[in-house]
């Protein structure tokens, strides 16, 4: 039996910006591991994640997700990824349930029952309109949307930034419980 491919791998990733160059970056993460990117603002953490999910095309090098080269044009690799970025992009006038159903139409392997169970675990009301949700509950919705298709790689870009300490602790505790259970 062959070993599993890395959850992700950067090979020579480079991006050039005025006054800043990201990389070259070589990084590999094995399945079942947790990695935190730590660094000052402007160090390239968000840009690295954006390259990984195909939102930014690297100037050089490549990214592999679960053994498949990440090609933003085909996007097939995205089925292995759950991503929570800085912006959630949910429809404010829709309910949590409607938003999750809409996200599910774009994900292979989407499991609505899993989405409902995760929402319940995070204490989200499916009938609540997104515009009525607190920032913490919008973060919880983003996490549910990122995890409902059981991705092999979960990428979180500061999911607790701006949350009060109590909600931050609640979100992190619930996230760790879900990850440990699976």
């Amino acid at each position: 039996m062959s070993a599993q491919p890395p959850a992700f791998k950067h090979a020579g990733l480079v991006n050039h910006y005025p006054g800043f160059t990201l990389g070259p970056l070589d990084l590999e993460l094995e399945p079942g591991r947790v990695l935190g990117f730590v660094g000052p603002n402007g160090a390239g953490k968000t840009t690295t994640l954006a390259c990984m999910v195909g939102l930014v095309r690297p100037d050089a090098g490549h990214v592999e997700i679960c053994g498949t080269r990440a090609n933003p044009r085909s996007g097939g690799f995205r089925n292995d990824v759950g991503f929570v970025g800085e912006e959630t992009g949910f429809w404010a006038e829709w309910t949590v349930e409607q938003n999750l159903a809409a996200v599910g139409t774009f994900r292979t392997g989407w499991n609505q029952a899993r989405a409902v169970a995760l929402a319940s675990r995070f204490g989200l009301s499916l009938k609540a309109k997104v515009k009525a949700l607190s920032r913490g509950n919008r973060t919880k919705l983003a996490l549910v949307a990122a995890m409902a298709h059981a991705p092999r790689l979960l990428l979180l870009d500061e999911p607790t930034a701006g949350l009060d300490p109590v909600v931050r602790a609640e979100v992190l505790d619930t996230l760790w419980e879900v990850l440990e259970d699976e």
Side-chain angles (χ1 to χ4, degrees), residues 168-179:
R168 179 183 184 277
E170 177 188 337
V171 167
L172 290 175
D173 287 348
T174 306
L175 179 60
W176 281 113
E177 287 172 15
V178 170
L179 294 175

Side-chain angles (χ1 to χ4, degrees), residues 134-154:
S134 67
R135 182 175 180 148
N137 282 335
R138 287 181 191 202
T139 297
K140 292 174 185 179
L141 174 57
L143 288 166
V144 170
M147 297 188 318
H149 70 289
R152 293 169 58 192
L153 176 64
L154 184 60

Side-chain angles (χ1 to χ4, degrees), residues 41-172:
N41 291 342
K45 300 177 300 289
T46 295
T47 301
T48 300
L49 292 174
C51 287
M52 292 174 67
V53 297
L55 297 174
V56 171
R57 182 182 228 167
D59 295 329
H62 69 276
V63 175
E64 291 179 19
I65 303 291
C66 302
T68 301
R69 189 172 281 211
N71 179 349
R73 290 188 181 151
S74 71
F77 71 96
R78 289 189 184 109
N79 288 321
D80 285 327
V81 179
F83 177 65
V84 177
E86 294 175 331
E87 300 295 323
T88 58
F90 296 110
W91 291 273
E93 294 295 327
W94 289 12
T95 65
V96 167
E97 186 173 36
Q98 290 169 315
N99 272 279
L100 290 172
V103 170
T105 63
F106 296 100
R107 289 287 186 191
T108 301
W110 181 265
N111 183 328
Q112 190 65 17
R114 178 177 163 83
V116 169
L118 286 168
S120 174
R121 193 158 185 180
F122 276 113
L124 282 175
S125 168
L126 295 174
K127 301 302 178 192
K129 286 197 173 187
V130 168
K131 70 180 181 182
L133 296 178
S134 67
R135 182 175 180 148
N137 282 335
R138 287 181 191 202
T139 297
K140 292 174 185 179
L141 174 57
L143 288 166
V144 170
M147 297 188 318
H149 70 289
R152 293 169 58 192
L153 176 64
L154 184 60
L155 300 174
L156 309 174
D157 189 6
E158 299 189 41
T160 61
L163 300 181
D164 67 65
V166 173
V167 173
R168 179 183 184 277
E170 177 188 337
V171 167
L172 290 175

